[in-house]
Amino acid sequence: MISTNVDPAGRVAASLGVLHAGQHPSGGYVACPTYPTYHYAWLRDGAFCAYALGLHGAHGSAAAFHEFVTRTLLRYQGLFEAVTTPGAEGVPVAQMPPARFTLTGHPEPGQSPGSGQPVDQAPWPNFQLDGYGTWVWALAQHARHDHPLTTEQRHAVALVSRYLQVAGAWNCYDCWEENPRWRHTSTLGAVIAGLAAAAELIEDAAAGAHAQDLRDLLLNEHVRAGTFVKHTGTDGVDASLLWLATPFAVISADDPIVRRTVARIIDELTGPSGGLRRYVGDTFYGGGEWVLLTAWLGTHMAAIGDLDGAGQRLDWVESMFTAEGQLPEQITEHPQAPDMVAPWVMRWGPVATPLLWSHAMHLVLVRFLRDARNLR
Protein backbone atom coordinates (compact mmCIF):
# COMPACT_ATOMS: atom_id res chain seq x y z
CA MET A 1 0.00 0.00 0.00
CA ILE A 2 1.07 3.60 -0.51
CA SER A 3 2.64 5.35 2.45
CA THR A 4 0.18 7.32 4.56
CA ASN A 5 2.45 10.37 4.42
CA VAL A 6 1.81 10.81 0.70
CA ASP A 7 -0.42 13.89 0.46
CA PRO A 8 -3.71 13.89 -1.49
CA ALA A 9 -2.17 15.95 -4.28
CA GLY A 10 0.48 13.26 -4.68
CA ARG A 11 -2.19 10.61 -5.10
CA VAL A 12 -4.00 12.70 -7.68
CA ALA A 13 -0.72 13.19 -9.52
CA ALA A 14 -0.15 9.43 -9.39
CA SER A 15 -3.55 8.71 -10.95
CA LEU A 16 -3.06 11.38 -13.60
CA GLY A 17 0.35 9.92 -14.37
CA VAL A 18 -1.03 6.39 -14.80
CA LEU A 19 -3.70 7.59 -17.22
CA HIS A 20 -1.31 9.67 -19.28
CA ALA A 21 1.24 6.85 -19.39
CA GLY A 22 -1.47 4.42 -20.47
CA GLN A 23 -2.53 6.46 -23.48
CA HIS A 24 -1.23 5.10 -26.77
CA PRO A 25 -0.04 7.58 -29.43
CA SER A 26 -3.25 6.71 -31.29
CA GLY A 27 -5.26 8.25 -28.44
CA GLY A 28 -6.63 4.97 -27.06
CA TYR A 29 -6.18 4.08 -23.39
CA VAL A 30 -4.93 0.60 -22.55
CA ALA A 31 -7.09 -1.03 -19.88
CA CYS A 32 -4.00 -2.23 -17.99
CA PRO A 33 -0.43 -2.04 -19.32
CA THR A 34 0.93 -4.91 -17.20
CA TYR A 35 -1.89 -7.44 -17.59
CA PRO A 36 -1.78 -9.09 -21.02
CA THR A 37 -5.47 -9.94 -21.11
CA TYR A 38 -6.27 -6.23 -20.82
CA HIS A 39 -3.92 -4.97 -23.52
CA TYR A 40 -6.88 -3.48 -25.41
CA ALA A 41 -8.84 -0.26 -25.56
CA TRP A 42 -12.38 -0.68 -24.28
CA LEU A 43 -14.81 2.06 -25.25
CA ARG A 44 -16.28 2.07 -21.73
CA ASP A 45 -13.02 2.16 -19.76
CA GLY A 46 -11.52 4.75 -22.09
CA ALA A 47 -14.60 6.96 -21.97
CA PHE A 48 -14.37 7.15 -18.19
CA CYS A 49 -10.64 7.85 -18.40
CA ALA A 50 -11.32 10.74 -20.77
CA TYR A 51 -14.11 12.00 -18.53
CA ALA A 52 -11.87 11.88 -15.45
CA LEU A 53 -9.03 13.69 -17.20
CA GLY A 54 -11.43 16.35 -18.41
CA LEU A 55 -12.57 16.95 -14.83
CA HIS A 56 -8.93 17.67 -13.97
CA GLY A 57 -8.29 19.93 -16.96
CA ALA A 58 -6.46 17.46 -19.22
CA HIS A 59 -8.72 18.17 -22.17
CA GLY A 60 -6.03 17.44 -24.76
CA SER A 61 -5.76 13.82 -23.67
CA ALA A 62 -9.55 13.47 -23.68
CA ALA A 63 -9.71 14.99 -27.16
CA ALA A 64 -7.14 12.50 -28.45
CA PHE A 65 -9.22 9.61 -27.12
CA HIS A 66 -12.40 10.87 -28.76
CA GLU A 67 -10.55 11.24 -32.05
CA PHE A 68 -9.29 7.65 -31.68
CA VAL A 69 -12.84 6.37 -31.17
CA THR A 70 -14.17 8.45 -34.05
CA ARG A 71 -11.57 7.12 -36.49
CA THR A 72 -12.12 3.56 -35.33
CA LEU A 73 -15.91 3.61 -35.59
CA LEU A 74 -15.92 5.25 -39.01
CA ARG A 75 -13.41 2.66 -40.21
CA TYR A 76 -15.95 -0.06 -39.37
CA GLN A 77 -19.06 1.83 -40.40
CA GLY A 78 -20.34 -1.22 -42.28
CA LEU A 79 -20.72 -3.17 -39.04
CA PHE A 80 -23.19 -0.63 -37.72
CA GLU A 81 -25.05 -0.40 -40.99
CA ALA A 82 -25.49 -4.18 -41.05
CA VAL A 83 -27.20 -4.05 -37.67
CA THR A 84 -29.45 -1.10 -38.48
CA THR A 85 -30.94 -2.54 -41.66
CA PRO A 86 -34.35 -4.27 -41.55
CA GLY A 87 -34.18 -7.77 -40.08
CA ALA A 88 -31.02 -6.98 -38.15
CA GLU A 89 -32.05 -9.01 -35.11
CA GLY A 90 -30.83 -12.01 -37.08
CA VAL A 91 -27.25 -10.70 -37.09
CA PRO A 92 -25.08 -13.22 -35.20
CA VAL A 93 -23.55 -12.01 -31.95
CA ALA A 94 -20.12 -12.62 -33.45
CA GLN A 95 -20.84 -9.99 -36.10
CA MET A 96 -21.96 -7.21 -33.75
CA PRO A 97 -19.69 -4.15 -33.37
CA PRO A 98 -17.07 -5.03 -30.74
CA ALA A 99 -16.69 -3.51 -27.29
CA ARG A 100 -12.90 -3.30 -27.48
CA PHE A 101 -10.20 -2.73 -30.07
CA THR A 102 -6.45 -2.90 -30.27
CA LEU A 103 -4.62 0.27 -29.33
CA THR A 104 -4.33 1.09 -33.01
CA GLY A 105 -8.08 0.85 -33.49
CA HIS A 106 -8.37 -2.57 -35.11
CA PRO A 107 -9.98 -5.90 -34.15
CA GLU A 108 -8.10 -8.21 -31.83
CA PRO A 109 -5.54 -10.58 -33.40
CA GLY A 110 -7.30 -13.68 -34.65
CA GLN A 111 -10.57 -11.84 -35.24
CA SER A 112 -12.16 -10.66 -38.41
CA PRO A 113 -13.80 -7.23 -38.32
CA GLY A 114 -16.99 -7.45 -36.32
CA SER A 115 -16.22 -10.87 -34.94
CA GLY A 116 -17.37 -11.16 -31.37
CA GLN A 117 -14.89 -13.91 -30.53
CA PRO A 118 -11.44 -15.11 -31.62
CA VAL A 119 -11.48 -17.74 -34.34
CA ASP A 120 -8.47 -19.64 -32.99
CA GLN A 121 -9.00 -19.63 -29.23
CA ALA A 122 -11.70 -19.85 -26.56
CA PRO A 123 -14.51 -17.33 -27.06
CA TRP A 124 -14.11 -14.03 -25.24
CA PRO A 125 -17.37 -12.02 -25.07
CA ASN A 126 -17.25 -8.86 -27.12
CA PHE A 127 -20.90 -7.87 -27.71
CA GLN A 128 -21.54 -5.18 -25.12
CA LEU A 129 -23.71 -2.11 -25.61
CA ASP A 130 -22.71 -0.09 -22.55
CA GLY A 131 -19.46 1.17 -24.04
CA TYR A 132 -21.17 2.81 -26.99
CA GLY A 133 -23.63 4.70 -24.83
CA THR A 134 -20.89 5.67 -22.40
CA TRP A 135 -18.69 7.00 -25.19
CA VAL A 136 -21.36 9.34 -26.59
CA TRP A 137 -22.17 10.50 -23.06
CA ALA A 138 -18.47 11.21 -22.37
CA LEU A 139 -18.12 13.04 -25.68
CA ALA A 140 -20.98 15.31 -24.64
CA GLN A 141 -19.17 16.10 -21.37
CA HIS A 142 -16.06 16.94 -23.38
CA ALA A 143 -17.99 19.13 -25.81
CA ARG A 144 -19.34 21.22 -22.93
CA HIS A 145 -15.80 22.41 -22.22
CA ASP A 146 -15.75 24.51 -25.39
CA HIS A 147 -14.80 21.60 -27.65
CA PRO A 148 -17.37 21.56 -30.47
CA LEU A 149 -17.70 18.36 -32.46
CA THR A 150 -15.87 17.90 -35.72
CA THR A 151 -17.73 16.78 -38.82
CA GLU A 152 -16.29 13.29 -38.39
CA GLN A 153 -17.39 13.13 -34.75
CA ARG A 154 -20.92 14.12 -35.73
CA HIS A 155 -20.94 11.25 -38.25
CA ALA A 156 -19.68 8.81 -35.61
CA VAL A 157 -22.31 9.94 -33.11
CA ALA A 158 -25.04 9.54 -35.72
CA LEU A 159 -23.76 6.05 -36.46
CA VAL A 160 -23.84 5.05 -32.80
CA SER A 161 -27.20 6.72 -32.25
CA ARG A 162 -28.83 4.66 -35.00
CA TYR A 163 -27.19 1.52 -33.62
CA LEU A 164 -28.45 2.14 -30.09
CA GLN A 165 -31.95 2.99 -31.28
CA VAL A 166 -32.11 -0.43 -32.95
CA ALA A 167 -30.13 -2.62 -30.55
CA GLY A 168 -30.15 -0.69 -27.28
CA ALA A 169 -32.69 -2.96 -25.57
CA TRP A 170 -31.28 -6.24 -26.86
CA ASN A 171 -29.88 -8.83 -24.51
CA CYS A 172 -26.08 -8.68 -24.51
CA TYR A 173 -23.08 -9.29 -22.28
CA ASP A 174 -23.03 -6.96 -19.29
CA CYS A 175 -20.25 -4.55 -18.38
CA TRP A 176 -18.45 -7.46 -16.66
CA GLU A 177 -18.70 -9.56 -19.87
CA GLU A 178 -21.16 -12.00 -18.31
CA ASN A 179 -24.82 -13.08 -18.52
CA PRO A 180 -25.62 -12.65 -22.24
CA ARG A 181 -29.16 -14.05 -21.87
CA TRP A 182 -30.51 -10.95 -20.15
CA ARG A 183 -31.03 -7.22 -20.55
CA HIS A 184 -28.85 -5.47 -18.00
CA THR A 185 -30.00 -2.47 -16.03
CA SER A 186 -26.72 -0.55 -15.96
CA THR A 187 -26.23 -1.27 -19.67
CA LEU A 188 -29.67 0.12 -20.40
CA GLY A 189 -28.77 3.17 -18.34
CA ALA A 190 -25.63 3.72 -20.42
CA VAL A 191 -27.64 3.37 -23.62
CA ILE A 192 -30.21 5.91 -22.41
CA ALA A 193 -27.45 8.34 -21.42
CA GLY A 194 -25.81 7.92 -24.82
CA LEU A 195 -29.02 8.52 -26.73
CA ALA A 196 -29.83 11.59 -24.65
CA ALA A 197 -26.32 12.87 -25.36
CA ALA A 198 -26.78 12.22 -29.10
CA ALA A 199 -29.98 14.25 -29.01
CA GLU A 200 -27.96 17.11 -27.52
CA LEU A 201 -24.85 16.80 -29.70
CA ILE A 202 -26.38 16.38 -33.16
CA GLU A 203 -29.95 17.56 -32.58
CA ASP A 204 -31.21 13.99 -33.01
CA ALA A 205 -34.85 14.20 -31.92
CA ALA A 206 -35.43 10.51 -32.60
CA ALA A 207 -32.61 9.64 -30.20
CA GLY A 208 -34.16 11.78 -27.49
CA ALA A 209 -37.56 10.17 -27.95
CA HIS A 210 -36.05 6.70 -27.91
CA ALA A 211 -34.13 7.52 -24.74
CA GLN A 212 -37.43 8.38 -23.07
CA ASP A 213 -39.00 5.12 -24.29
CA LEU A 214 -36.09 3.15 -22.85
CA ARG A 215 -36.34 5.04 -19.58
CA ASP A 216 -39.96 3.92 -19.35
CA LEU A 217 -38.80 0.36 -20.05
CA LEU A 218 -36.19 0.70 -17.31
CA LEU A 219 -38.79 1.73 -14.76
CA ASN A 220 -41.35 -0.86 -15.87
CA GLU A 221 -39.18 -3.98 -16.24
CA HIS A 222 -36.03 -3.42 -14.18
CA VAL A 223 -37.54 -2.67 -10.78
CA ARG A 224 -38.41 -5.43 -8.30
CA ALA A 225 -39.75 -4.86 -4.80
CA GLY A 226 -38.96 -1.17 -5.02
CA THR A 227 -35.32 -1.35 -6.20
CA PHE A 228 -33.50 -1.63 -9.48
CA VAL A 229 -32.08 -5.09 -10.14
CA LYS A 230 -28.93 -6.35 -11.83
CA HIS A 231 -30.74 -7.70 -14.90
CA THR A 232 -34.13 -8.96 -16.00
CA GLY A 233 -33.40 -12.49 -14.81
CA THR A 234 -32.72 -11.77 -11.15
CA ASP A 235 -33.87 -9.90 -8.07
CA GLY A 236 -30.26 -9.21 -7.03
CA VAL A 237 -28.37 -5.95 -7.24
CA ASP A 238 -25.06 -5.01 -8.83
CA ALA A 239 -22.78 -2.14 -7.85
CA SER A 240 -22.89 -0.85 -11.44
CA LEU A 241 -26.49 0.22 -10.77
CA LEU A 242 -24.93 3.36 -9.29
CA TRP A 243 -24.43 4.52 -12.90
CA LEU A 244 -28.14 5.24 -13.27
CA ALA A 245 -27.94 8.25 -10.97
CA THR A 246 -24.23 9.09 -10.87
CA PRO A 247 -22.93 10.24 -13.22
CA PHE A 248 -25.44 9.40 -16.00
CA ALA A 249 -28.43 11.07 -14.26
CA VAL A 250 -30.84 8.78 -16.07
CA ILE A 251 -32.78 8.63 -12.81
CA SER A 252 -32.55 11.37 -10.19
CA ALA A 253 -30.39 10.58 -7.18
CA ASP A 254 -33.33 11.71 -5.04
CA ASP A 255 -35.69 9.16 -6.57
CA PRO A 256 -36.94 6.72 -3.90
CA ILE A 257 -36.06 3.75 -6.12
CA VAL A 258 -32.48 4.99 -6.38
CA ARG A 259 -32.24 5.58 -2.64
CA ARG A 260 -33.49 2.09 -1.87
CA THR A 261 -31.19 0.59 -4.49
CA VAL A 262 -28.12 2.34 -3.09
CA ALA A 263 -29.08 1.21 0.42
CA ARG A 264 -29.20 -2.40 -0.83
CA ILE A 265 -25.85 -2.03 -2.57
CA ILE A 266 -24.23 -0.73 0.59
CA ASP A 267 -25.85 -3.39 2.77
CA GLU A 268 -25.28 -6.40 0.51
CA LEU A 269 -22.06 -5.57 -1.34
CA THR A 270 -19.79 -3.83 1.16
CA GLY A 271 -16.92 -6.14 2.07
CA PRO A 272 -15.21 -6.57 5.45
CA SER A 273 -12.58 -3.89 4.79
CA GLY A 274 -15.12 -1.34 3.52
CA GLY A 275 -14.70 -1.76 -0.23
CA LEU A 276 -17.56 -2.53 -2.59
CA ARG A 277 -18.02 -5.87 -4.38
CA ARG A 278 -19.59 -6.26 -7.82
CA TYR A 279 -22.46 -8.57 -6.86
CA VAL A 280 -23.28 -11.45 -4.53
CA GLY A 281 -21.86 -14.70 -5.90
CA ASP A 282 -19.02 -13.14 -7.91
CA THR A 283 -16.11 -15.58 -8.31
CA PHE A 284 -13.69 -13.58 -10.53
CA TYR A 285 -10.46 -13.64 -8.50
CA GLY A 286 -12.70 -14.75 -5.65
CA GLY A 287 -15.17 -11.88 -5.95
CA GLY A 288 -13.28 -9.30 -3.91
CA GLU A 289 -13.72 -5.60 -3.23
CA TRP A 290 -13.29 -3.35 -6.27
CA VAL A 291 -11.46 -0.03 -6.20
CA LEU A 292 -13.41 1.61 -9.02
CA LEU A 293 -16.77 0.61 -7.54
CA THR A 294 -15.88 1.90 -4.09
CA ALA A 295 -14.86 5.17 -5.73
CA TRP A 296 -18.17 5.16 -7.60
CA LEU A 297 -20.13 4.84 -4.37
CA GLY A 298 -18.10 7.68 -2.90
CA THR A 299 -18.82 9.80 -5.96
CA HIS A 300 -22.54 9.18 -5.57
CA MET A 301 -22.34 10.07 -1.89
CA ALA A 302 -20.57 13.31 -2.73
CA ALA A 303 -23.22 14.11 -5.33
CA ILE A 304 -26.02 13.76 -2.75
CA GLY A 305 -24.17 15.68 -0.04
CA ASP A 306 -23.01 12.77 2.15
CA LEU A 307 -19.51 14.14 2.54
CA ASP A 308 -18.57 11.88 5.43
CA GLY A 309 -19.50 8.77 3.47
CA ALA A 310 -17.70 10.04 0.39
CA GLY A 311 -14.61 10.87 2.42
CA GLN A 312 -14.55 7.41 3.97
CA ARG A 313 -14.66 5.81 0.50
CA LEU A 314 -11.90 8.09 -0.73
CA ASP A 315 -9.76 7.10 2.26
CA TRP A 316 -10.35 3.43 1.43
CA VAL A 317 -9.50 3.90 -2.24
CA GLU A 318 -6.33 5.81 -1.46
CA SER A 319 -5.27 3.15 1.03
CA MET A 320 -5.16 0.74 -1.92
CA PHE A 321 -2.35 2.56 -3.73
CA THR A 322 0.77 0.45 -4.03
CA ALA A 323 4.18 1.83 -3.16
CA GLU A 324 4.59 2.50 -6.90
CA GLY A 325 1.49 4.72 -6.92
CA GLN A 326 -0.78 2.24 -8.67
CA LEU A 327 -4.34 1.07 -8.03
CA PRO A 328 -5.50 -2.52 -8.69
CA GLU A 329 -8.78 -3.67 -10.15
CA GLN A 330 -9.80 -5.40 -6.92
CA ILE A 331 -8.30 -6.73 -3.70
CA THR A 332 -8.44 -10.41 -2.78
CA GLU A 333 -7.97 -10.28 0.98
CA HIS A 334 -11.67 -10.88 1.68
CA PRO A 335 -12.97 -12.94 -1.28
CA GLN A 336 -16.51 -14.28 -1.51
CA ALA A 337 -15.13 -17.48 -3.04
CA PRO A 338 -11.66 -18.09 -1.54
CA ASP A 339 -11.09 -21.21 -3.64
CA MET A 340 -11.40 -19.13 -6.84
CA VAL A 341 -8.50 -16.75 -6.23
CA ALA A 342 -5.66 -19.12 -7.13
CA PRO A 343 -7.30 -20.50 -10.31
CA TRP A 344 -7.61 -17.00 -11.77
CA VAL A 345 -4.04 -16.13 -10.80
CA MET A 346 -2.86 -19.31 -12.51
CA ARG A 347 -4.94 -18.54 -15.60
CA TRP A 348 -4.26 -14.82 -16.13
CA GLY A 349 -1.72 -13.79 -13.49
CA PRO A 350 -2.07 -11.46 -10.47
CA VAL A 351 -4.92 -8.96 -10.28
CA ALA A 352 -4.63 -6.27 -12.97
CA THR A 353 -2.50 -3.40 -11.60
CA PRO A 354 -2.58 -0.56 -12.49
CA LEU A 355 -6.12 -0.60 -13.81
CA LEU A 356 -6.71 2.68 -15.60
CA TRP A 357 -10.44 2.57 -14.84
CA SER A 358 -9.64 2.44 -11.10
CA HIS A 359 -7.45 5.51 -11.41
CA ALA A 360 -10.11 7.28 -13.46
CA MET A 361 -12.75 6.73 -10.79
CA HIS A 362 -10.33 7.86 -8.09
CA LEU A 363 -9.97 11.15 -9.97
CA VAL A 364 -13.73 11.47 -10.45
CA LEU A 365 -14.33 10.95 -6.73
CA VAL A 366 -11.66 13.51 -5.81
CA ARG A 367 -13.27 16.11 -8.06
CA PHE A 368 -16.85 15.43 -6.92
CA LEU A 369 -15.86 15.55 -3.26
CA ARG A 370 -13.83 18.71 -3.71
CA ASP A 371 -16.73 20.43 -5.46
CA ALA A 372 -19.20 19.27 -2.82
CA ARG A 373 -17.00 20.59 -0.02
CA ASN A 374 -16.60 23.93 -1.78
CA LEU A 375 -20.38 24.33 -1.87
CA ARG A 376 -20.54 24.27 1.92
Side-chain angles (χ1 to χ4, degrees):
M1 305 306 172
I2 200 166
S3 173
T4 55
N5 64 8
V6 177
D7 60 37
R11 298 183 185 114
V12 168
S15 282
L16 289 170
V18 168
L19 295 190
H20 284 301
Q23 186 168 35
H24 188 269
S26 67
Y29 298 105
V30 66
C32 178
T34 62
Y35 188 74
T37 310
Y38 288 1
H39 280 185
Y40 297 101
W42 270 263
L43 297 181
R44 174 196 55 249
D45 297 38
F48 283 120
C49 290
Y51 172 61
L53 286 165
L55 291 178
H56 288 263
H59 299 295
S61 178
F65 170 74
H66 292 304
E67 285 298 318
F68 162 79
V69 176
T70 297
R71 289 193 306 272
T72 300
L73 300 189
L74 293 180
R75 181 182 298 126
Y76 297 107
Q77 181 171 339
L79 299 178
F80 298 89
E81 293 174 344
V83 175
T84 55
T85 55
E89 286 205 51
V91 174
V93 168
Q95 294 302 318
M96 299 297 288
R100 60 184 177 269
F101 297 88
T102 68
L103 292 171
T104 56
H106 294 86
E108 299 161 44
Q111 291 188 329
S112 59
S115 172
Q117 62 188 46
V119 297
D120 58 354
Q121 54 185 294
W124 186 13
N126 208 356
F127 171 39
Q128 299 164 250
L129 293 164
D130 64 284
Y132 286 96
T134 302
W135 173 66
V136 181
W137 171 84
L139 180 62
Q141 311 311 305
H142 178 68
R144 291 171 187 164
H145 291 282
D146 197 27
H147 294 93
L149 267 61
T150 65
T151 299
E152 291 76 14
Q153 286 173 336
R154 293 181 66 87
H155 289 165
V157 170
L159 202 65
V160 173
S161 177
R162 290 194 296 272
Y163 173 52
L164 294 179
Q165 288 178 61
V166 170
W170 290 3
N171 296 345
C172 67
Y173 289 94
D174 63 16
C175 60
W176 313 126
E177 303 185 336
E178 299 173 341
N179 302 300
R181 296 175 51 210
W182 309 105
R183 185 172 61 240
H184 302 279
T185 308
S186 60
T187 296
L188 193 57
V191 169
I192 294 168
L195 287 171
E200 170 191 338
L201 289 170
I202 60 171
E203 302 82 42
D204 187 344
H210 202 76
Q212 185 56 54
D213 290 343
L214 292 182
R215 188 177 183 276
D216 293 340
L217 178 67
L218 181 76
L219 290 168
N220 289 331
E221 297 189 13
H222 290 256
V223 177
R224 309 273 175 82
T227 73
F228 289 107
V229 293
K230 177 177 172 63
H231 57 66
T232 49
T234 183
D235 291 335
V237 292
D238 188 293
S240 66
L241 294 172
L242 293 164
W243 298 5
L244 298 176
T246 307
F248 289 157
V250 170
I251 306 293
S252 170
D254 293 329
D255 189 286
I257 303 173
V258 170
R259 292 202 303 268
R260 289 190 293 265
T261 303
V262 174
R264 275 194 70 186
I265 289 171
I266 294 171
D267 181 58
E268 298 177 23
L269 301 182
T270 301
S273 78
L276 205 61
R277 292 164 167 164
R278 296 195 298 179
Y279 56 87
V280 172
D282 184 13
T283 61
F284 182 55
Y285 283 91
E289 298 163 61
W290 281 54
V291 173
L292 70 95
L293 293 174
T294 308
W296 219 304
L297 177 59
T299 300
H300 177 76
M301 289 174 162
I304 64 174
D306 181 2
L307 304 193
D308 288 341
Q312 290 168 14
R313 272 64 186 188
L314 179 59
D315 289 344
W316 186 92
V317 167
E318 293 192 335
S319 75
M320 294 302 131
F321 272 94
T322 67
E324 295 74 30
Q326 300 178 345
L327 289 170
E329 183 174 57
Q330 63 171 298
I331 61 168
T332 59
E333 280 80 355
H334 305 284
Q336 298 183 65
D339 59 338
M340 288 302 296
V341 177
W344 279 105
V345 172
M346 291 179 63
R347 180 179 179 184
W348 282 354
V351 170
T353 308
L355 188 78
L356 268 68
W357 195 6
S358 292
H359 286 277
M361 294 314 301
H362 168 236
L363 292 171
V364 173
L365 171 54
V366 167
R367 177 58 189 269
F368 269 62
L369 185 55
R370 184 179 71 196
D371 290 351
R373 285 170 171 164
N374 287 340
L375 288 175
R376 287 201 163 182

